[in-house]
Amino acid sequence: MTDTPKFRRQIPEERKKEMVEATLRCLEQKGSEGLSVRNISAEAGISIGLINHHYPSKDDLVAAAYEKLATDLLQYVVRLVEQSGGTPRERMSAFFKGYFSSEILDQKILRVWVVFWNMSEKSEKVRQSHDRTYAGFRAQLEQMLCDLVNHPGIPDFNHRLAAIGLSAMLDGLWLEWCLNPATFAPEEGLRICEAWVDGLVSGAFDL
Amino acid sequence: MTDTPKFRRQIPEERKKEMVEATLRCLEQKGSEGLSVRNISAEAGISIGLINHHYPSKDDLVAAAYEKLATDLLQYVVRLVEQSGGTPRERMSAFFKGYFSSEILDQKILRVWVVFWNMSEKSEKVRQSHDRTYAGFRAQLEQMLCDLVNHPGIPDFNHRLAAIGLSAMLDGLWLEWCLNPATFAPEEGLRICEAWVDGLVSGAFDL
DNA sequence: TCAACTGTTGAACATTCGTTCAATTATGAT
DNA sequence: ATCATAATTGAACGAATGTTCAACAGTTGA
């Protein structure tokens, strides 16, 4: 008779991390239908009651999951730019290439995001997390756009509005592709964004 | 004793219409939380059982609600363009003006849309409705962009990709404003789109 | 070796959900 | 007036939900 322990104790910090990751896996697989405490606890290999022991309510766990996914995706795109050397324009292209790769252009992520959007109005934490990470995303774009201008012969423009517009175009393409991948190919989305930047630096925009 | 009838009989067609409208009101008010048959039937002033009498399941009612909202919004923007005379460029501006008005740029609509996005993967009807209305929306944009080119001195471009890009930018701006209206003002979103079109017709885009 | 601590369990509870269906009743034809 | 039709009702049902809490058990330090 091997005496295998019925469970393994863990420090709250690590257990919480596991639960957050399990929550994201559940959301990626089944969207809002996978968000029950029973499904999450099964995915994490823990009991039902443990969730409310570490989190005041389920919504707090989901808010923590939003925080992680949003931060991870932001980090992903930031590293894309950092790792790619070259000119500012080349770095922008590297960013686009990563954005329209299967890492981000993924229907599984939309499944998660839709649940978060649904929560953002009710959960203060989710809304704050959105505002913070989205501001970071736009700041990254604005910095890249700014770098483009710091070269001779490039006309200036309203960096803030340009970042908002580019961010919107990226999000809109991402969303529509996830809802119906037949509408356009990822390479076409990439081309649309490249053309937008080319137009911007050519001074055609009155921004 | 006045003998007020306990209910009023209606032909299925009209009753269904009432239920669809009640469903949309519920979604606008409370999002997915307002989508229960009890809440909908209370809003419509009918009994619980009547929903399943006219619709095989609740999902079919929601799909019908999607169909109506999507069609209504598409009709709204189409009429915006039809009613505005003037040059193609002025009609485009009229369209933008209507799009960034409180009629469409409304957090209530996002509440509804998020629920539909969540359903689109599971419900064949909802997905078909999305594909159809979204194609109509893009076709409208493509026609307007096409009209812009049919004037002398305007360089040509890939109408399909341009429509996809503009559609994405509109959607992205709409979504982000609904999630956080503090990010930018509606007039700024309008300006971003106007600048995009100006850049397009100036030939700055390689589309 | 033995407590003290606390991470962990899972049955139980009160709600809420979508759906069903037998009974009811408004309505139009005869 | 009477009847057949079908629109409407609402109680009932089983399934699923988030949360609670008393009991359990692994871990650690003395």
Side-chain angles (χ1 to χ4, degrees), chain B residues 7-68:
Chain B
F7 58 86
R8 206 166 60 90
R9 276 193 155 188
Q10 286 181 222
I11 56 175
E13 189 184 359
E14 191 163 351
R15 183 66 83 186
K16 281 178 158 188
K17 188 185 170 192
E18 288 181 2
M19 285 161 55
V20 162
E21 288 168 352
T23 302
L24 287 177
R25 285 196 302 274
C26 289
L27 283 173
E28 284 175 1
Q29 289 162 14
K30 296 192 284 181
S32 61
E33 287 187 5
L35 202 60
S36 73
V37 288
R38 282 160 183 82
N39 191 47
I40 293 172
S41 55
E43 172 71 29
I46 59 176
S47 71
I48 301 171
L50 198 55
I51 287 179
N52 285 99
H53 179 260
H54 287 294
Y55 289 97
S57 81
K58 194 188 74 168
D59 281 11
D60 293 277
L61 168 59
V62 181
Y66 184 109
E67 180 73 23
K68 172 164 174 56

Side-chain angles (χ1 to χ4, degrees), chain A residues 188-205:
Chain A
E188 290 178 320
L190 193 145
R191 190 176 154 205
I192 291 170
C193 291
E194 294 279 11
W196 187 87
V197 171
D198 287 339
L200 187 74
V201 299
S202 78
F205 284 2

Side-chain angles (χ1 to χ4, degrees), chain A residues 22-41:
Chain A
T23 302
L24 287 176
R25 284 197 303 274
C26 289
L27 283 172
E28 285 175 0
Q29 289 163 13
K30 295 191 285 180
S32 61
E33 286 187 6
L35 203 59
S36 73
V37 288
R38 283 161 183 80
N39 192 46
I40 293 172
S41 55

Side-chain angles (χ1 to χ4, degrees), chain B residues 16 54-67 70 116 119-133:
Chain B
K16 281 178 158 188
H54 287 294
Y55 289 97
S57 81
K58 194 188 74 168
D59 281 11
D60 293 277
L61 168 59
V62 181
Y66 184 109
E67 180 73 23
F116 289 154
M119 280 188 69
S120 75
E121 216 177 6
K122 301 149 200 165
S123 168
E124 182 70 21
K125 291 181 182 177
V126 168
R127 184 168 47 253
Q128 286 175 353
S129 213
H130 163 83
D131 292 350
R132 184 161 16 88
T133 55

Side-chain angles (χ1 to χ4, degrees), chain A residues 5-16:
Chain A
K6 292 189 175 180
F7 57 85
R8 206 165 59 92
R9 277 195 153 184
Q10 286 182 221
I11 57 174
E13 189 183 0
E14 191 164 351
R15 183 64 84 185
K16 281 178 158 187

Side-chain angles (χ1 to χ4, degrees), chain B residues 74-118:
Chain B
L74 180 56
Q75 264 193 354
Y76 175 78
V77 297
V78 166
R79 284 188 186 172
L80 273 181
V81 179
E82 284 177 353
Q83 290 176 356
S84 101
T87 67
R89 188 62 186 81
E90 286 169 346
R91 293 172 63 187
M92 182 70 87
S93 286
F95 169 83
F96 287 153
K97 188 183 168 193
Y99 192 90
F100 285 99
S101 74
S102 59
E103 197 80 21
I104 289 190
L105 208 60
D106 188 338
Q107 304 198 54
K108 286 200 300 288
I109 303 182
L110 176 60
R111 248 175 251 146
V112 186
W113 229 244
V114 163
V115 174
F116 289 154
W117 285 336
N118 188 47

